Amino acid sequence: MAHALLRTSAVVTAAALCAGLASASASAAAGPHRGALVSAEHLRTLSSGQVAGQLAAAGYEHASVRNGVDTYRLVYRTVDAHGRPTTASGLFVLPRTGRHRLRTVSYDHGTTSYKGDAPSTTGDGFAPAPALTYGAAGFAAAEPDYLGLGLGPGVHPWMNVPSEVTASVDMLRASRAFARRHGRELDRKVLVTGFSQGASAATALGRALQNGSDPWFRLGALAPISGGYAFRTAEIPALLNGGVEPKSGTLYAAYLLVAFNRLHHLYDSPAQVFKSPYDETIEQLFDGTHTGEELFNSTPGTIGDLLTPYGLKLLTDPPERFAAALKVLDGTCQWTPKAPTRLYFSRNDEQAVNANSTTCRTQLGTQVPLIDLGTGNYQGSRHLGSNVAGTAAIVRWFLTLK
């Protein structure tokens, strides 16, 4: 589910990315400790007025701004989708307050395919705006880039829930270690949120924290926004029947098949799944080095123009290996939260159809409020607009929690 996939990418120089990737990859072999810091780079110091200006320019509310912030790019040790040591990066925001002990927000971002669009590497205001919102409200905010994005080596395993969880947990560990170096302590109760792709990542992270995946951190509250929680039963049917905006649906179908093939071997050749001429280019377009604009301009407008009959059959009747992978993806809401939980969605979302959120609410339990954010939009997208409205609503809610 997208935030930057369909938009022009922010510019990050290839030289800077390659240098960071080489450094991070070389350091990965130096030690096995998940969450250990590899490097920390100070990005910006912003006054409260500057944060408010940044948020306003990005289209976000700034009523909750109370203080300035310092932002950092952390590179840390984690594991890849196969459990092998690797590194990942993320954005960490510390509030400029005198408080020693800080309440902590973990925010998981929506879909992007370009390394330079990740929260810690983009100059675009949309991706880092939630972390800035929480930091300027007085929280410490951790926003992982996930595997293969930002300064992470390799390609991004899109919608791979287990690696989203390990990257998020390890980002929290790295953030705690970094905060201690600056004389701050992160509260063990984590306020977990996320948008779109990051919403299902957040529900899975909440479950992991509740189940003791880390010896220090625990789930303090959960508030995901507009997630793709039910791909097999809700999202994929909507991609195929027009319930999802056609161009968005085409890109999601392509990303799903390319990313899942890399992990689960769904096809032997792109030509089995993708029509000519896209079979020659589609996998390269999702290698992390192509901007959202390139991806948009190099793909057709409908799924029917992209996929072969076999490609369509993979989606309508997934073989056993694909079905098993989708079951993991669709299982992030199958638990009962013990911490305060709210689900947020946007009515008639053109990308994450509402059946995703109603399914998740049924699975989590009727005690969980399902909050309609209305029909506001961001750059013409109701889906993106839900992240803007949801972030404003959630920071207000988090500020009321003890």
Side-chain angles (χ1 to χ4, degrees):
M1 317 317 303
H3 74 66
L5 183 61
L6 309 182
R7 299 184 296 118
T8 302
S9 303
V11 176
V12 175
T13 66
L17 279 174
C18 289
L21 291 173
S23 173
S25 299
S27 300
H33 304 295
R34 283 182 45 194
L37 271 170
V38 174
S39 66
E41 179 183 353
H42 183 258
L43 300 176
R44 291 185 293 176
T45 295
L46 298 172
S47 68
S48 59
Q50 288 172 321
V51 175
Q54 292 266 342
L55 293 177
Y60 279 74
E61 292 186 23
H62 51 85
S64 62
V65 172
R66 298 178 174 182
N67 49 259
V69 300
D70 284 292
T71 67
Y72 303 87
R73 180 190 299 120
L74 306 185
V75 177
Y76 58 94
R77 305 189 197 286
T78 188
V79 291
D80 68 12
H82 302 286
R84 300 172 301 205
T86 188
T87 58
S89 56
L91 177 67
F92 184 51
V93 181
L94 278 175
R96 294 182 67 82
T97 67
R99 292 182 181 174
H100 167 71
R101 192 177 190 86
L102 298 170
R103 299 173 70 198
T104 307
V105 173
S106 173
Y107 173 85
D108 285 324
H109 68 80
T111 296
T112 186
S113 60
Y114 175 54
K115 289 178 182 291
D117 277 335
S120 81
T121 51
T122 183
D124 183 5
F126 189 86
L132 289 177
T133 297
Y134 295 116
F139 301 96
E143 187 174 358
D145 293 333
Y146 308 138
L147 296 181
L149 295 173
L151 298 190
V155 294
H156 174 53
W158 188 62
M159 299 303 289
N160 178 253
V161 170
S163 69
E164 291 169 346
V165 171
T166 52
S168 299
V169 170
D170 294 343
M171 177 67 185
L172 284 168
R173 292 170 174 167
S175 299
R176 184 184 181 211
F178 180 77
R180 280 182 160 178
R181 293 183 184 181
H182 287 255
R184 319 291 281 273
E185 182 65 49
L186 301 188
D187 191 271
R188 71 183 313 181
K189 291 184 178 180
V190 182
L191 309 175
V192 176
T193 180
F195 163 65
S196 197
Q197 174 187 358
S200 54
T203 55
L205 173 62
R207 177 176 58 192
L209 293 176
Q210 180 169 290
N211 291 341
S213 63
D214 182 81
W216 172 253
F217 291 112
R218 295 292 182 269
L219 178 63
L222 177 64
I225 309 166
S226 301
Y229 313 106
F231 256 71
R232 179 95 186 254
T233 60
E235 191 66 17
I236 289 177
L239 295 177
L240 297 172
N241 66 22
V244 172
E245 187 274 320
K247 183 67 176 188
S248 301
T250 302
L251 291 170
Y252 287 138
Y255 209 174
L256 181 70
L257 291 169
V258 169
F260 275 51
N261 182 63
R262 288 167 175 160
L263 290 179
H264 308 292
H265 191 68
L266 306 183
Y267 55 84
D268 293 324
S269 166
Q272 292 177 272
V273 175
F274 302 103
K275 292 180 177 178
S276 177
Y278 309 109
D279 60 319
E280 298 289 338
T281 59
I282 196 71
E283 291 186 338
Q284 290 73 33
L285 287 171
F286 289 104
D287 67 1
T289 69
H290 292 79
T291 66
E293 184 177 25
E294 289 176 297
L295 187 59
F296 189 92
N297 291 335
S298 302
T299 50
T302 68
I303 289 179
D305 289 334
L306 176 71
L307 298 183
T308 65
Y310 179 73
L312 289 169
K313 184 174 174 58
L314 279 176
L315 296 177
T316 57
D317 185 21
E320 183 177 357
R321 184 182 288 113
F322 191 18
L326 289 171
K327 186 176 181 180
V328 174
L329 172 57
D330 289 351
T332 68
C333 297
Q334 295 174 0
W335 58 291
T336 302
K338 297 177 182 177
T341 300
R342 294 180 177 182
L343 286 174
Y344 294 81
F345 76 105
S346 179
R347 201 177 326 135
N348 299 322
D349 189 317
E350 85 283 358
Q351 295 186 37
V353 294
N354 292 162
N356 283 291
S357 294
T358 56
T359 297
C360 182
R361 197 273 183 113
T362 297
Q363 293 172 335
L364 290 175
T366 56
Q367 80 283 356
V368 174
L370 183 58
I371 298 172
D372 185 349
L373 294 164
T375 58
N377 71 73
Y378 178 92
Q379 296 184 356
S381 169
R382 196 168 290 181
H383 183 59
L384 299 179
S386 70
N387 194 32
V388 175
T391 298
I394 291 165
V395 72
R396 290 194 297 268
W397 181 48
F398 282 174
L399 286 168
T400 68
L401 299 177
K402 303 298 183 182

